Amino acid sequence: MEHPITNKFTATFIFFILVLLFLRTESTQPPFSCDSSNPNTSSFPFCNAALPISQRVNDLVSRLTVDEKILQLVNGAPEIPRLGISAYEWWSEGLHGISRHGKGTLFNGTIKAATQFPQIILTASSFDENLWYRIAQAIGREARAVYNAGQLKGITLWAPNINILRDPRWGRGQETPGEDPMMVGKYGVAYVRGLQGDSFEGGKLKDGHLQTSACCKHFIAQDMDNWHNFSRYTFDAQVLKQDLADSYEPPFKNCVEQGKASSVMCAYNLVNGIPNCANFDLLTTTARGKWGLQGYIVSDCDAVEKMYTEQHYAKEPEDAVAATLKAGMDVNCGSHLKKYTKSALEKQKVKESDVDRALHNLFSVRMRLGLFNGDPSKLEYGDISAAEVCSQEHRALAVEAARSGSVLLKNSNRLLPLSKMKTTSLAVIGPKANDSEVLLGNYEGYSCKNVTLFQGLQGYVANTMYHPGCDFINCTSPAIDEAVNIAKKADYVVLVMGLDQTLEREKFDRTELGLPGMQEKLITAIAEAASKPVILVLMCGGPVDVTFAKDNQKIGGILWVGYPGEGGAAALAQILFGEHNPGGRSPVTWYPKEFNKVPMNDMRMRPESSSGYPGRTYRFYNGPKVFEFGYGLSYTNYSYTFTSVSKNQLLFKNPKINKATENGSVLNIAVSDVGPEVCNNAMITVKVAVKNQGEMAGKHPVLLFLKHSNTVDEVPRKTLIGFKSVNLEAGANTHVTFDVKPCEHFTRANRDGTLVIDEGKHFLLVGDQEYPIPVSL
C-alpha cells in the first residue's frame, strides 16, 4: 500500500506539470477572434467567413459600446471578451527583416532571431525588382511563422519607408530606396506585393486576403529628423505644388495604386501649415479617393499628441482628436485618442460616426488577415512554421542581396578582385570591422548568425590581422602608428570605414558630409605606408564625400557596402576575391562637402539660378558630384546599342497648348488634355542590346534615362524611366525591352502641379548611347 503523502505529492506534481503545459500552450497560441469552440461567440454574423467583410464589420461595430470603440483606436487594442475578440497590436516593424523594434514582436520563445537582410539603401542598389519582391516574400512568411508561434501580437508591419532621399544628411536615408521617385515607387510596389502575399505582377489577392499587411510611410515630405533647430515633430515643410506632384507624391501613389498597400502612415511634420495626420485632402481626397486606398491610415507614433503639445495646431487635446479622425486617420500610434476621444465626443468636436468609420477600416484589415475566421492553424498560412525563420534559403537570399547591392566605386589598374591563392596575408583595419551589429543598420532584429567582416575575410586568408585604427567610429584619437605597423606587415590592406548608428539614425541627421573625425587622416597614412594600393570599404547609409580617396593613387579600390545585413561578411569576401562580380549602382548622388551649406530645411527640388540654389537629386542638382546617381563599376565591361525604337517622333495635336509662362521654359501640353487613347497609342517599344565584353560573368542593371534638350531650371536634367537587371556570361549578349509611356515617362510637373509634356527634342539614354525622340505639339 502506497503512503498517502506519496500519493498527494504525485498528484500535486502531475497538476503542476499540466499547468505548465497549459501555460506553454497559451503562450504559443497566436491571437485570433471567433473561436469556433466558443458557443457564445461563434454564432455572431461577424464570425461568419462566408459573408462579405463589409457586412461582417458592420455587424461587429454595431455591437460595440462607445468605450469599447474608443479603446480600439490606438495601436495596442485590447481584447473584448464578451464578443470573443482578441487583443491586437498594430505596431510591428519589418523594414529589412522581422525587427525587435515596435511592440508586437517577442523573441522570447522558440524563435530567437529572424533573417536580417541588408538595409534598404543597399538592396535598392541592385536595381532588381524581382530580388526586392523575393526579400519581401521571405519577410512576410517569416512574420506569419512568428505569428503562428505565438510571438507576434499582430501581423501589420509598418514598412516600407518610401520617402525619397532628398538630402544626403538625413539620418534615415539608409531606410529608403534612394532619391529617384520612380525607382522608390517600384521598390514600394515590389515590397508590398511580396509582403502581403501577392504575385510579383500583382492581382493574385483578388479576394483581398492578406498574408501580412504592409504600410507605406511616411506620408508625406518627411525627410528631416533633427537638424540644427529643426525637428520632425514641429517642422512645417514648405513644399511647392510642382515638387509635390513629381517628386514627393509619386512613390506613395504607386505604392497604393499598383502595390495595393493595405496601410499608409501619416508623418509627424506639417506641409504648408497643415499636419499630415490632419490633412483631409491628403488622407481622404488623395490617398483614399484618387488612389483607392483599401486599408487603414495610422499616425506616426505620438504624432496626434504632438499636434497639441508641440505644434500647437490644436488648441485643446480634443481638437487633435477631431482634426485627425475627420481628416481620415484611423488609428493612433500612441495614447492620445484613448485619453481624449470620449471628451471630444462629449464636447461635440467629433461624431460617433467618425469613430465608426475608422473602426470599419481597422477591423476590415484584421478580417482580411484571417484573424476573425477561427483557429489560424487550420486556415491559409497556418502551415507556415518556425522552420522558415532563418531557413537556409532565406539566409542565402540575404547574402545574394548584399552581393547584388554592393557598389564598386573605384578599381584602379584592376586591383580587384584579389587572388585567393596569391594573397599571403591581409590586414583588416577599422573600428567596426570586427563588429557584427553595425552590419544591420536601424530597425534591425536579431540575426540568425553573427559574422563580422573581419571574420568573413579570415575564412579566405589564414594570415589575416585586425586592428581597429580608432576606438570609436567618430575616430577622434586614431592609433595611426599601430595601424600603420600592422599595414606594413600585410600583403594587402582592407580599410573598413564610414558611419554607424551613432552618426546617422532616426532622430539624428548629420551636420557634415565627410568621413567622421580623423578617419581620412588614418586612411591616408595607411595608404602611404602600405606596400600595395589599399582597398577602402565604406559602410554607411547616406553618401559621404571621399574625393580624397577617389583621387589618391595609393587607394586602389573603393567598395560601398551600405549596411549589408547578416550576409554582409560572406558577400564582401566573395566580392573582394572574385567569387562574385559586383554590379550594384548607386541609388543616390554623392555630394561634395560644400553641399553642407545648402539648408536642409529648404524643400525645393529644382535649382534657382538667380540665387545660386543648386537643386536636389540627380534630376535637378546642377553642382559638382563625387559620384553620380546610377554610377557603379564591375570587374567586366558592358556595351549598349539601341537596336529598335518603335517611334522616332511624337506628335500631340491639341488646341490646349500651354504657353511658355514659366521663365525660359518651353511650350507644353497637360497630360490630362491628351486623353487616354492618344496616350496608349503613343507608347514606344525600345530594345537595347547589352553585351558583356569582359572575361567574367556578371549581374548588371541596365538603366534607361530620358533627358530634354532644354536645360532650364524647371525641366529635369535627366530622369530614370526604366531599369532591368540581366545576368550575362563573359562575352555573351542579350536584348532588353523597355515599354516607354510618354504620358508617364516624358512628363514633369508645372508650377501648378499639373503634369505636362514639353515640346522639343528628347533623348533616350543608356550608358553612353543616345537616341533622339522629338516631341511636337
Side-chain angles (χ1 to χ4, degrees), residues 179-231:
E179 68 185 38
D180 181 79
M182 184 273 282
M183 177 190 174
V184 172
K186 283 188 175 292
Y187 176 86
V189 170
Y191 178 94
V192 168
R193 287 176 177 170
L195 195 83
Q196 294 191 163
D198 204 347
S199 61
F200 175 71
E201 299 81 8
K204 176 184 173 184
L205 301 178
K206 291 180 181 177
D207 59 0
H209 290 180
L210 301 168
Q211 172 182 263
T212 310
S213 170
C215 174
C216 305
K217 65 182 186 184
H218 310 83
F219 193 43
I220 194 169
Q222 184 190 303
D223 44 28
M224 181 178 70
D225 269 52
N226 191 354
W227 179 80
H228 292 319
N229 294 322
F230 294 94
S231 163

Tab-separated table of all heavy atoms in Angstrom, residues 179-231:
chain	number	residue	atom	x	y	z
A	179	GLU	N	16.932	58.194	-54.139
A	179	GLU	CA	16.444	59.548	-54.407
A	179	GLU	C	15.519	59.661	-55.608
A	179	GLU	O	14.927	60.718	-55.826
A	179	GLU	CB	17.635	60.485	-54.611
A	179	GLU	CG	18.452	60.232	-55.866
A	179	GLU	CD	19.686	61.125	-55.954
A	179	GLU	OE1	20.317	61.371	-54.902
A	179	GLU	OE2	20.015	61.580	-57.055
A	180	ASP	N	15.371	58.612	-56.411
A	180	ASP	CA	14.539	58.717	-57.607
A	180	ASP	C	13.100	58.294	-57.313
A	180	ASP	O	12.862	57.170	-56.859
A	180	ASP	CB	15.098	57.839	-58.723
A	180	ASP	CG	14.263	57.950	-59.981
A	180	ASP	OD1	14.430	58.945	-60.700
A	180	ASP	OD2	13.417	57.065	-60.224
A	181	PRO	N	12.110	59.175	-57.569
A	181	PRO	CA	10.719	58.860	-57.217
A	181	PRO	C	10.178	57.610	-57.908
A	181	PRO	O	9.464	56.818	-57.293
A	181	PRO	CB	9.950	60.111	-57.665
A	181	PRO	CG	10.966	61.198	-57.701
A	181	PRO	CD	12.252	60.551	-58.094
A	182	MET	N	10.505	57.438	-59.185
A	182	MET	CA	10.004	56.271	-59.903
A	182	MET	C	10.580	54.981	-59.334
A	182	MET	O	9.870	53.997	-59.096
A	182	MET	CB	10.335	56.386	-61.392
A	182	MET	CG	9.764	55.264	-62.255
A	182	MET	SD	10.835	53.807	-62.372
A	182	MET	CE	12.041	54.377	-63.542
A	183	MET	N	11.882	54.988	-59.092
A	183	MET	CA	12.543	53.805	-58.543
A	183	MET	C	12.028	53.500	-57.134
A	183	MET	O	11.754	52.341	-56.796
A	183	MET	CB	14.050	54.025	-58.514
A	183	MET	CG	14.826	52.889	-57.895
A	183	MET	SD	16.537	53.371	-57.640
A	183	MET	CE	17.158	51.952	-56.750
A	184	VAL	N	11.889	54.516	-56.311
A	184	VAL	CA	11.383	54.323	-54.954
A	184	VAL	C	9.971	53.744	-55.001
A	184	VAL	O	9.614	52.851	-54.229
A	184	VAL	CB	11.414	55.650	-54.159
A	184	VAL	CG1	10.718	55.499	-52.814
A	184	VAL	CG2	12.856	56.112	-53.960
A	185	GLY	N	9.162	54.245	-55.934
A	185	GLY	CA	7.811	53.719	-56.105
A	185	GLY	C	7.815	52.258	-56.509
A	185	GLY	O	7.024	51.453	-55.999
A	186	LYS	N	8.694	51.888	-57.424
A	186	LYS	CA	8.774	50.490	-57.863
A	186	LYS	C	9.246	49.584	-56.723
A	186	LYS	O	8.791	48.442	-56.604
A	186	LYS	CB	9.697	50.368	-59.078
A	186	LYS	CG	9.058	50.819	-60.387
A	186	LYS	CD	9.931	50.509	-61.577
A	186	LYS	CE	9.231	50.853	-62.880
A	186	LYS	NZ	8.075	49.964	-63.156
A	187	TYR	N	10.163	50.093	-55.913
A	187	TYR	CA	10.564	49.317	-54.735
A	187	TYR	C	9.354	49.094	-53.828
A	187	TYR	O	9.118	47.982	-53.346
A	187	TYR	CB	11.681	50.015	-53.946
A	187	TYR	CG	12.018	49.252	-52.690
A	187	TYR	CD1	12.940	48.213	-52.726
A	187	TYR	CD2	11.359	49.514	-51.487
A	187	TYR	CE1	13.195	47.456	-51.594
A	187	TYR	CE2	11.619	48.762	-50.351
A	187	TYR	CZ	12.543	47.739	-50.407
A	187	TYR	OH	12.783	46.981	-49.293
A	188	GLY	N	8.592	50.158	-53.579
A	188	GLY	CA	7.423	50.045	-52.718
A	188	GLY	C	6.432	49.016	-53.232
A	188	GLY	O	5.901	48.210	-52.460
A	189	VAL	N	6.190	49.016	-54.527
A	189	VAL	CA	5.251	48.064	-55.130
A	189	VAL	C	5.748	46.636	-54.941
A	189	VAL	O	4.996	45.745	-54.532
A	189	VAL	CB	5.053	48.371	-56.631
A	189	VAL	CG1	4.275	47.252	-57.316
A	189	VAL	CG2	4.327	49.698	-56.813
A	190	ALA	N	7.032	46.398	-55.247
A	190	ALA	CA	7.596	45.049	-55.120
A	190	ALA	C	7.558	44.570	-53.673
A	190	ALA	O	7.207	43.407	-53.395
A	190	ALA	CB	9.035	45.036	-55.649
A	191	TYR	N	7.904	45.462	-52.742
A	191	TYR	CA	7.922	45.097	-51.321
A	191	TYR	C	6.506	44.767	-50.837
A	191	TYR	O	6.279	43.743	-50.181
A	191	TYR	CB	8.517	46.232	-50.488
A	191	TYR	CG	8.515	45.946	-48.998
A	191	TYR	CD1	9.626	45.393	-48.372
A	191	TYR	CD2	7.397	46.218	-48.217
A	191	TYR	CE1	9.617	45.113	-47.016
A	191	TYR	CE2	7.370	45.943	-46.868
A	191	TYR	CZ	8.488	45.392	-46.271
A	191	TYR	OH	8.460	45.112	-44.923
A	192	VAL	N	5.556	45.626	-51.162
A	192	VAL	CA	4.186	45.431	-50.679
A	192	VAL	C	3.614	44.124	-51.230
A	192	VAL	O	3.009	43.334	-50.489
A	192	VAL	CB	3.303	46.632	-51.072
A	192	VAL	CG1	1.828	46.319	-50.851
A	192	VAL	CG2	3.697	47.864	-50.270
A	193	ARG	N	3.814	43.885	-52.516
A	193	ARG	CA	3.282	42.652	-53.097
A	193	ARG	C	3.905	41.417	-52.456
A	193	ARG	O	3.216	40.443	-52.156
A	193	ARG	CB	3.535	42.645	-54.608
A	193	ARG	CG	2.631	43.602	-55.384
A	193	ARG	CD	2.994	43.639	-56.859
A	193	ARG	NE	2.075	44.498	-57.616
A	193	ARG	CZ	2.260	44.864	-58.875
A	193	ARG	NH1	3.334	44.442	-59.540
A	193	ARG	NH2	1.392	45.642	-59.486
A	194	GLY	N	5.210	41.457	-52.246
A	194	GLY	CA	5.872	40.311	-51.633
A	194	GLY	C	5.423	40.080	-50.210
A	194	GLY	O	5.135	38.950	-49.807
A	195	LEU	N	5.345	41.141	-49.430
A	195	LEU	CA	4.998	41.016	-48.019
A	195	LEU	C	3.559	40.555	-47.841
A	195	LEU	O	3.269	39.699	-46.999
A	195	LEU	CB	5.207	42.350	-47.307
A	195	LEU	CG	5.218	42.268	-45.785
A	195	LEU	CD1	6.602	41.858	-45.291
A	195	LEU	CD2	4.824	43.591	-45.138
A	196	GLN	N	2.654	41.103	-48.634
A	196	GLN	CA	1.229	40.832	-48.454
A	196	GLN	C	0.788	39.499	-49.057
A	196	GLN	O	-0.355	39.081	-48.867
A	196	GLN	CB	0.393	41.985	-49.023
A	196	GLN	CG	0.599	43.287	-48.248
A	196	GLN	CD	-0.389	44.390	-48.590
A	196	GLN	OE1	-0.534	45.353	-47.833
A	196	GLN	NE2	-1.066	44.292	-49.714
A	197	GLY	N	1.713	38.831	-49.789
A	197	GLY	CA	1.377	37.533	-50.350
A	197	GLY	C	0.835	37.590	-51.753
A	197	GLY	O	0.289	36.608	-52.275
A	198	ASP	N	0.995	38.724	-52.411
A	198	ASP	CA	0.550	38.882	-53.798
A	198	ASP	C	1.586	38.275	-54.735
A	198	ASP	O	2.705	37.935	-54.330
A	198	ASP	CB	0.356	40.373	-54.099
A	198	ASP	CG	-0.625	40.630	-55.239
A	198	ASP	OD1	-0.969	39.668	-55.955
A	198	ASP	OD2	-1.042	41.788	-55.413
A	199	SER	N	1.244	38.161	-56.004
A	199	SER	CA	2.201	37.712	-57.009
A	199	SER	C	3.122	38.868	-57.375
A	199	SER	O	2.837	40.034	-57.068
A	199	SER	CB	1.471	37.228	-58.259
A	199	SER	OG	0.700	38.285	-58.822
A	200	PHE	N	4.230	38.565	-58.058
A	200	PHE	CA	5.159	39.605	-58.465
A	200	PHE	C	4.476	40.615	-59.383
A	200	PHE	O	4.689	41.830	-59.267
A	200	PHE	CB	6.364	38.982	-59.183
A	200	PHE	CG	7.325	39.987	-59.759
A	200	PHE	CD1	8.135	40.757	-58.931
A	200	PHE	CD2	7.420	40.178	-61.133
A	200	PHE	CE1	9.011	41.692	-59.456
A	200	PHE	CE2	8.292	41.114	-61.670
A	200	PHE	CZ	9.097	41.869	-60.827
A	201	GLU	N	3.627	40.137	-60.288
A	201	GLU	CA	2.932	41.018	-61.233
A	201	GLU	C	1.725	41.694	-60.603
A	201	GLU	O	1.189	42.655	-61.153
A	201	GLU	CB	2.464	40.220	-62.462
A	201	GLU	CG	3.578	39.569	-63.256
A	201	GLU	CD	4.052	38.249	-62.640
A	201	GLU	OE1	3.393	37.769	-61.676
A	201	GLU	OE2	5.065	37.710	-63.103
A	202	GLY	N	1.275	41.211	-59.441
A	202	GLY	CA	0.084	41.749	-58.793
A	202	GLY	C	-1.174	41.071	-59.309
A	202	GLY	O	-1.179	40.422	-60.358
A	203	GLY	N	-2.249	41.200	-58.554
A	203	GLY	CA	-3.530	40.664	-58.984
A	203	GLY	C	-3.900	39.327	-58.380
A	203	GLY	O	-5.015	38.842	-58.561
A	204	LYS	N	-2.998	38.711	-57.626
A	204	LYS	CA	-3.290	37.410	-57.016
A	204	LYS	C	-4.281	37.540	-55.865
A	204	LYS	O	-5.095	36.643	-55.630
A	204	LYS	CB	-1.983	36.775	-56.510
A	204	LYS	CG	-2.169	35.468	-55.764
A	204	LYS	CD	-0.838	34.963	-55.208
A	204	LYS	CE	-1.033	33.746	-54.311
A	204	LYS	NZ	0.242	33.309	-53.692
A	205	LEU	N	-4.236	38.668	-55.165
A	205	LEU	CA	-5.072	38.843	-53.969
A	205	LEU	C	-6.426	39.452	-54.325
A	205	LEU	O	-6.839	40.470	-53.767
A	205	LEU	CB	-4.344	39.722	-52.948
A	205	LEU	CG	-2.998	39.203	-52.460
A	205	LEU	CD1	-2.363	40.193	-51.491
A	205	LEU	CD2	-3.152	37.854	-51.781
A	206	LYS	N	-7.120	38.832	-55.246
A	206	LYS	CA	-8.394	39.388	-55.706
A	206	LYS	C	-9.466	39.355	-54.623
A	206	LYS	O	-10.387	40.157	-54.616
A	206	LYS	CB	-8.859	38.630	-56.949
A	206	LYS	CG	-7.983	38.882	-58.175
A	206	LYS	CD	-8.467	38.124	-59.392
A	206	LYS	CE	-7.555	38.391	-60.597
A	206	LYS	NZ	-7.968	37.616	-61.785
A	207	ASP	N	-9.353	38.404	-53.712
A	207	ASP	CA	-10.337	38.331	-52.634
A	207	ASP	C	-9.986	39.243	-51.473
A	207	ASP	O	-10.726	39.323	-50.494
A	207	ASP	CB	-10.478	36.890	-52.145
A	207	ASP	CG	-9.163	36.308	-51.630
A	207	ASP	OD1	-8.151	37.033	-51.656
A	207	ASP	OD2	-9.150	35.132	-51.209
A	208	GLY	N	-8.839	39.931	-51.580
A	208	GLY	CA	-8.447	40.882	-50.549
A	208	GLY	C	-7.739	40.288	-49.362
A	208	GLY	O	-7.290	41.015	-48.479
A	209	HIS	N	-7.632	38.956	-49.287
A	209	HIS	CA	-6.968	38.335	-48.143
A	209	HIS	C	-5.475	38.649	-48.158
A	209	HIS	O	-4.859	38.790	-49.213
A	209	HIS	CB	-7.202	36.819	-48.157
A	209	HIS	CG	-8.609	36.435	-47.852
A	209	HIS	ND1	-9.044	35.140	-47.800
A	209	HIS	CD2	-9.700	37.204	-47.570
A	209	HIS	CE1	-10.335	35.118	-47.500
A	209	HIS	NE2	-10.757	36.358	-47.367
A	210	LEU	N	-4.900	38.737	-46.969
A	210	LEU	CA	-3.516	39.171	-46.830
A	210	LEU	C	-2.693	38.159	-46.045
A	210	LEU	O	-3.162	37.618	-45.037
A	210	LEU	CB	-3.452	40.521	-46.098
A	210	LEU	CG	-4.182	41.697	-46.731
A	210	LEU	CD1	-4.263	42.853	-45.735
A	210	LEU	CD2	-3.480	42.150	-48.001
A	211	GLN	N	-1.465	37.926	-46.492
A	211	GLN	CA	-0.521	37.139	-45.709
A	211	GLN	C	-0.020	37.969	-44.535
A	211	GLN	O	0.031	37.523	-43.390
A	211	GLN	CB	0.657	36.729	-46.587
A	211	GLN	CG	1.814	36.075	-45.846
A	211	GLN	CD	2.957	35.747	-46.787
A	211	GLN	OE1	3.066	34.629	-47.248
A	211	GLN	NE2	3.796	36.728	-47.074
A	212	THR	N	0.351	39.199	-44.843
A	212	THR	CA	0.811	40.191	-43.868
A	212	THR	C	0.400	41.542	-44.435
A	212	THR	O	0.260	41.683	-45.638
A	212	THR	CB	2.345	40.132	-43.713
A	212	THR	OG1	2.744	38.786	-43.493
A	212	THR	CG2	2.827	40.965	-42.546
A	213	SER	N	0.234	42.530	-43.591
A	213	SER	CA	-0.155	43.867	-44.051
A	213	SER	C	1.055	44.787	-44.099
A	213	SER	O	1.823	44.871	-43.139
A	213	SER	CB	-1.213	44.453	-43.116
A	213	SER	OG	-1.431	45.827	-43.400
A	214	ALA	N	1.237	45.458	-45.245
A	214	ALA	CA	2.331	46.418	-45.423
A	214	ALA	C	1.815	47.842	-45.268
A	214	ALA	O	0.640	48.128	-45.502
A	214	ALA	CB	2.978	46.242	-46.798
A	215	CYS	N	2.715	48.743	-44.889
A	215	CYS	CA	2.352	50.136	-44.618
A	215	CYS	C	3.341	51.072	-45.303
A	215	CYS	O	4.542	51.043	-45.012
A	215	CYS	CB	2.351	50.387	-43.112
A	215	CYS	SG	2.080	52.100	-42.629
A	216	CYS	N	2.850	51.904	-46.216
A	216	CYS	CA	3.708	52.865	-46.919
A	216	CYS	C	3.874	54.113	-46.050
A	216	CYS	O	2.889	54.757	-45.692
A	216	CYS	CB	3.096	53.243	-48.268
A	216	CYS	SG	2.749	51.826	-49.311
A	217	LYS	N	5.114	54.443	-45.711
A	217	LYS	CA	5.351	55.565	-44.812
A	217	LYS	C	6.546	56.380	-45.318
A	217	LYS	O	7.331	55.880	-46.132
A	217	LYS	CB	5.584	55.062	-43.376
A	217	LYS	CG	6.860	54.214	-43.194
A	217	LYS	CD	7.005	53.722	-41.773
A	217	LYS	CE	8.339	53.014	-41.564
A	217	LYS	NZ	8.472	52.439	-40.217
A	218	HIS	N	6.699	57.609	-44.921
A	218	HIS	CA	5.905	58.455	-44.027
A	218	HIS	C	5.270	59.519	-44.904
A	218	HIS	O	5.975	60.316	-45.528
A	218	HIS	CB	6.794	59.100	-42.970
A	218	HIS	CG	7.690	58.116	-42.261
A	218	HIS	ND1	8.902	57.701	-42.775
A	218	HIS	CD2	7.531	57.466	-41.086
A	218	HIS	CE1	9.460	56.847	-41.929
A	218	HIS	NE2	8.653	56.676	-40.901
A	219	PHE	N	3.967	59.548	-44.945
A	219	PHE	CA	3.175	60.342	-45.875
A	219	PHE	C	2.931	61.730	-45.278
A	219	PHE	O	2.167	61.827	-44.327
A	219	PHE	CB	1.862	59.596	-46.107
A	219	PHE	CG	1.026	60.059	-47.251
A	219	PHE	CD1	1.592	60.371	-48.475
A	219	PHE	CD2	-0.355	60.161	-47.117
A	219	PHE	CE1	0.798	60.765	-49.544
A	219	PHE	CE2	-1.160	60.550	-48.175
A	219	PHE	CZ	-0.572	60.848	-49.395
A	220	ILE	N	3.621	62.767	-45.671
A	220	ILE	CA	4.416	62.937	-46.864
A	220	ILE	C	5.474	64.006	-46.581
A	220	ILE	O	5.350	64.770	-45.619
A	220	ILE	CB	3.514	63.343	-48.052
A	220	ILE	CG1	4.239	63.197	-49.391
A	220	ILE	CG2	2.988	64.752	-47.852
A	220	ILE	CD1	3.303	63.325	-50.583
A	221	ALA	N	6.504	64.055	-47.432
A	221	ALA	CA	7.575	65.054	-47.332
A	221	ALA	C	8.235	65.078	-45.960
A	221	ALA	O	8.568	66.131	-45.443
A	221	ALA	CB	7.036	66.453	-47.695
A	222	GLN	N	8.434	63.895	-45.391
A	222	GLN	CA	9.220	63.813	-44.154
A	222	GLN	C	10.571	63.212	-44.490
A	222	GLN	O	10.687	62.015	-44.725
A	222	GLN	CB	8.548	62.971	-43.076
A	222	GLN	CG	9.368	63.005	-41.774
A	222	GLN	CD	8.902	62.019	-40.728
A	222	GLN	OE1	7.759	62.043	-40.322
A	222	GLN	NE2	9.802	61.147	-40.284
A	223	ASP	N	11.584	64.039	-44.536
A	223	ASP	CA	12.931	63.560	-44.834
A	223	ASP	C	13.958	64.417	-44.102
A	223	ASP	O	15.026	64.721	-44.606
A	223	ASP	CB	13.192	63.550	-46.343
A	223	ASP	CG	12.691	64.806	-47.030
A	223	ASP	OD1	12.638	65.857	-46.374
A	223	ASP	OD2	12.353	64.738	-48.227
A	224	MET	N	13.596	64.803	-42.898
A	224	MET	CA	14.493	65.504	-41.996
A	224	MET	C	14.027	65.190	-40.578
A	224	MET	O	12.850	65.331	-40.269
A	224	MET	CB	14.458	67.023	-42.237
A	224	MET	CG	15.400	67.800	-41.327
A	224	MET	SD	15.379	69.577	-41.670
A	224	MET	CE	13.745	69.991	-41.070
A	225	ASP	N	14.945	64.718	-39.729
A	225	ASP	CA	14.553	64.330	-38.376
A	225	ASP	C	14.931	65.362	-37.327
A	225	ASP	O	14.094	65.825	-36.569
A	225	ASP	CB	15.190	62.977	-38.029
A	225	ASP	CG	14.284	61.829	-38.391
A	225	ASP	OD1	13.831	61.777	-39.547
A	225	ASP	OD2	14.011	60.989	-37.523
A	226	ASN	N	16.205	65.708	-37.284
A	226	ASN	CA	16.665	66.629	-36.243
A	226	ASN	C	17.938	67.307	-36.732
A	226	ASN	O	19.039	66.809	-36.529
A	226	ASN	CB	16.923	65.856	-34.942
A	226	ASN	CG	17.134	66.770	-33.763
A	226	ASN	OD1	17.201	67.990	-33.919
A	226	ASN	ND2	17.261	66.205	-32.584
A	227	TRP	N	17.760	68.431	-37.382
A	227	TRP	CA	18.886	69.139	-37.986
A	227	TRP	C	18.906	70.573	-37.457
A	227	TRP	O	17.931	71.305	-37.612
A	227	TRP	CB	18.766	69.118	-39.514
A	227	TRP	CG	19.851	69.843	-40.233
A	227	TRP	CD1	21.106	69.396	-40.494
A	227	TRP	CD2	19.756	71.153	-40.809
A	227	TRP	NE1	21.812	70.349	-41.199
A	227	TRP	CE2	21.001	71.441	-41.400
A	227	TRP	CE3	18.738	72.118	-40.866
A	227	TRP	CZ2	21.267	72.648	-42.053
A	227	TRP	CZ3	18.997	73.314	-41.520
A	227	TRP	CH2	20.254	73.566	-42.098
A	228	HIS	N	20.012	70.919	-36.793
A	228	HIS	CA	20.120	72.239	-36.156
A	228	HIS	C	18.899	72.480	-35.263
A	228	HIS	O	18.623	71.705	-34.378
A	228	HIS	CB	20.334	73.317	-37.208
A	228	HIS	CG	21.682	73.213	-37.889
A	228	HIS	ND1	22.839	72.912	-37.215
A	228	HIS	CD2	22.035	73.350	-39.193
A	228	HIS	CE1	23.857	72.884	-38.054
A	228	HIS	NE2	23.401	73.128	-39.267
A	229	ASN	N	18.131	73.525	-35.526
A	229	ASN	CA	16.984	73.819	-34.665
A	229	ASN	C	15.672	73.279	-35.216
A	229	ASN	O	14.597	73.623	-34.720
A	229	ASN	CB	16.857	75.336	-34.454
A	229	ASN	CG	18.031	75.902	-33.680
A	229	ASN	OD1	18.529	75.267	-32.744
A	229	ASN	ND2	18.489	77.082	-34.060
A	230	PHE	N	15.764	72.432	-36.225
A	230	PHE	CA	14.553	71.904	-36.855
A	230	PHE	C	14.320	70.459	-36.411
A	230	PHE	O	15.225	69.626	-36.464
A	230	PHE	CB	14.664	71.969	-38.380
A	230	PHE	CG	14.701	73.362	-38.918
A	230	PHE	CD1	15.915	73.987	-39.170
A	230	PHE	CD2	13.530	74.056	-39.172
A	230	PHE	CE1	15.954	75.285	-39.660
A	230	PHE	CE2	13.557	75.348	-39.673
A	230	PHE	CZ	14.771	75.971	-39.911
A	231	SER	N	13.082	70.185	-35.979
A	231	SER	CA	12.702	68.844	-35.540
A	231	SER	C	11.544	68.345	-36.389
A	231	SER	O	10.655	69.111	-36.772
A	231	SER	CB	12.277	68.880	-34.069
A	231	SER	OG	11.556	67.711	-33.728
